[in-house]
Amino acid sequence: MPCRANILITELFDTELIGEGALPSYEHAHRHLVQENCEAVPHRATVYAQLVESRRMWSWNKLFPIPVHTSCGEQVIVPHLELERCPGAPSVYDIQLNQVSSADFTVLSDVLPMFSVDFSKQVSSSAACHSRQFEPLASGRAQVVLSWWDIEMDPEGKIKCSMAPFWAHSDPEELQWRDHWMQCVYFLPQEEPVVQGSSIYLVAHHDDYCVWYSLQRTSPEKDRRVYPARPVCDCQAHLLWNRPRFGEINDQDRTDQYIQALRTVLKPDSVCLCVSDGSLLSLLAHHLGAEQVFTVESSAASHRLMKKIFKANHLEDKINIIEKRPELLTSADLEGKKISLLLGEPFFTTSLLPWHNLYFWYVRTAVDQHLGPGAVVMPQTASLHTVVVEFRDLWRIRSPCGDCEGFDVHIMDDMIKRALDFRESKEAEPHPLWEYPCRCLSEPQQILTFDFRQPVPPHLIHAEGSIELRRPGRSHGAVLWMEYHLTPDSTVSTGLLKSAEDKVVLCTGTVAGTPTASRQCISSPRRTPERRWAALRLSVTPWISTPTLETSPWISHSQTPWTMGSDPHLLRNKVA
């Protein structure tokens, strides 16, 4: 540059404001690239926080005690001490807070402005903390800090862009939907009791990339104690289970479904083999009366975690952990015994799309030699389902911009379209759909069934069909999900709970008020069908990353092939 600039224009922000390196970038620009009294666009950012109590959100970070009613009385599965004391994962949890029901949390504080950054002045990326004294609005357990930010584009603050959720927005009618800048959920290291009217301090800490929060009873300036370091998981659980997985494990209704199903298949002489990553099924099977329980943990991290959980529940000598890939199991690993009950949720940490957990079927095939006569497999079967939906907002992530604020951006639209058409527009992508309201345009349809009671067949599996659009609207995409049939009378769904003409209820985030780790999948059509029949062409091959789906408005009815292959080893390798 021949001279320093007098205007600094940037877009360096993420949901956490500073997570993409805004602070060091501004710091470098002010030192080397711009004049001392330059003007920055945007001009200023302010971070806000609100303290709440929320069992639902707290279940995304901690393992709750799990009661199991047995013939010998109630048994309780408890987390190990390290997990209880662990501050959790260091990363922020960004979600669409507008989709969290107000009934799911209790507000303990007003909205507090925590700190501001003036981008027109010298910015520091050094670690810092900012405290705000407040009196709790209600007594309760402080567990979670909800946070967001706004930016003032001009020095006078006349042009403002806010990420506030609807209850804190200055004009809810003008609320803009966004999927890049959302809201943040921060978990306190430990829940702390607060008393209405008793003054305390909420402290926001940050380094050059991350923000975290703590509560203090006295002023940090007067206390002069060492400020809490950025939270880092030291219990292994937050490395193995993501936030939705914590919620899934803490979902008591879901757990009760597995308990009821186990009661129907377990016998006093049952020898169980559990195959799911970091699953508590083995503890349930033991408490419900299985004679012997083996569990396979393929990774060292899950092996260490489950060993600690077994020890905390005094089961370290009652449940055998095998740290080995299932296809490498030998008779010696099983102490020469034949398995009478093969269990899986199924859940595997490498799974991204709903059908990736069909890895369980390949495991069942690989361990077939270790199953005894009449062995029971649970789940018995699984099915893939779909429904065509119209989204309220999510369609915007694939919508062209056209003319934006007087600028013609069709060139960019065309470039993005060509890139998407190369591969992405033909692929499904995972979304936690409880965050994205939609309504059904078709009836839910089962498109493929997988029988875990039998090994993977040597031939491809095909299904053909079409979906009739029963309601008017724009078909933005097809939602796909799996359902696992534990027994003929018990089914665990990872997708649709119920649908109405104007609303869809999906199980992620709705079962027992707790989000699950299960993700629904969207495959977006290239065009909007105008006729009653949506012609779909879907190819599902479980070891390939995604299926493809196309809609054709000019076809009134067509064949819809779905295919699935049968190599027992490729799925895990490809996903990993």
Side-chain angles (χ1 to χ4, degrees), residues 212-246:
W212 64 98
Y213 287 87
S214 66
L215 273 184
Q216 294 182 201
R217 302 293 174 181
T218 58
S219 169
E221 288 76 14
K222 294 181 181 179
D223 199 351
R224 294 184 180 179
R225 66 177 181 177
V226 177
Y227 299 125
R230 184 162 65 99
V232 176
C233 173
D234 55 15
C235 73
Q236 304 291 323
H238 299 88
L239 304 179
L240 184 67
W241 301 332
N242 59 17
R243 271 66 177 259
R245 175 60 174 168
F246 265 97

Side-chain angles (χ1 to χ4, degrees), residues 42-89:
H43 180 78
R44 182 187 297 107
T46 302
V47 174
Y48 299 87
Q50 188 169 35
L51 187 68
V52 303
E53 175 183 349
S54 174
R55 178 178 174 82
R56 178 187 180 188
M57 287 187 261
W58 196 238
S59 76
W60 301 340
N61 187 57
K62 296 289 185 179
L63 179 61
F64 296 164
I66 300 173
V68 183
H69 297 283
T70 72
S71 57
C72 300
E74 183 179 85
Q75 302 289 331
V76 180
I77 299 173
V78 298
H80 61 87
L81 194 58
E82 286 180 32
L83 201 162
E84 287 187 319
R85 295 175 176 173
C86 181

Side-chain angles (χ1 to χ4, degrees), residues 361-362 450 454-462 542-543 563-567:
W361 200 10
Y362 297 109
F450 313 93
Q454 303 297 325
V456 174
H459 56 275
L460 294 180
I461 299 175
H462 299 269
W543 58 82
T563 63
M564 196 214 82
S566 56
D567 189 308

Side-chain angles (χ1 to χ4, degrees), residues 386-391 439-445 465-479 501 523 525 527-536 549-558 560:
T386 189
V387 66
V388 177
V389 300
E390 177 181 28
F391 286 104
R439 67 187 189 95
C440 291
L441 300 184
S442 71
E443 295 302 319
Q445 184 167 318
S466 58
I467 299 177
E468 182 181 2
L469 302 183
R470 294 181 174 270
R471 303 177 185 92
R474 293 180 177 272
S475 60
H476 291 136
V479 174
E501 188 166 339
S523 193
R527 309 174 182 87
T528 302
E530 304 295 341
R531 302 190 182 182
R532 293 184 59 211
W533 291 90
L536 306 180
L549 178 146
E550 300 175 0
T551 63
S552 305
W554 57 87
I555 300 177
S556 62
H557 184 80
S558 78
T560 307

Side-chain angles (χ1 to χ4, degrees), residues 423-437:
R423 184 176 179 89
E424 255 187 86
S425 64
K426 302 177 182 179
E427 294 187 342
E429 53 189 70
H431 286 281
L433 288 185
W434 68 273
E435 297 183 45
Y436 305 102

Side-chain angles (χ1 to χ4, degrees), residues 81-126:
L81 194 58
E82 286 180 32
L83 201 162
E84 287 187 319
R85 295 175 176 173
C86 181
S91 57
V92 65
Y93 190 25
D94 53 336
I95 65 171
Q96 296 281 358
L97 266 184
N98 289 319
Q99 299 309 313
V100 178
S101 170
S102 57
D104 286 325
F105 61 92
T106 300
V107 171
L108 299 180
S109 77
D110 291 319
V111 176
L112 305 172
M114 296 306 300
F115 64 93
S116 295
V117 182
D118 190 332
F119 300 120
S120 64
K121 299 178 181 179
Q122 180 62 55
V123 173
S124 173
S125 62
S126 300

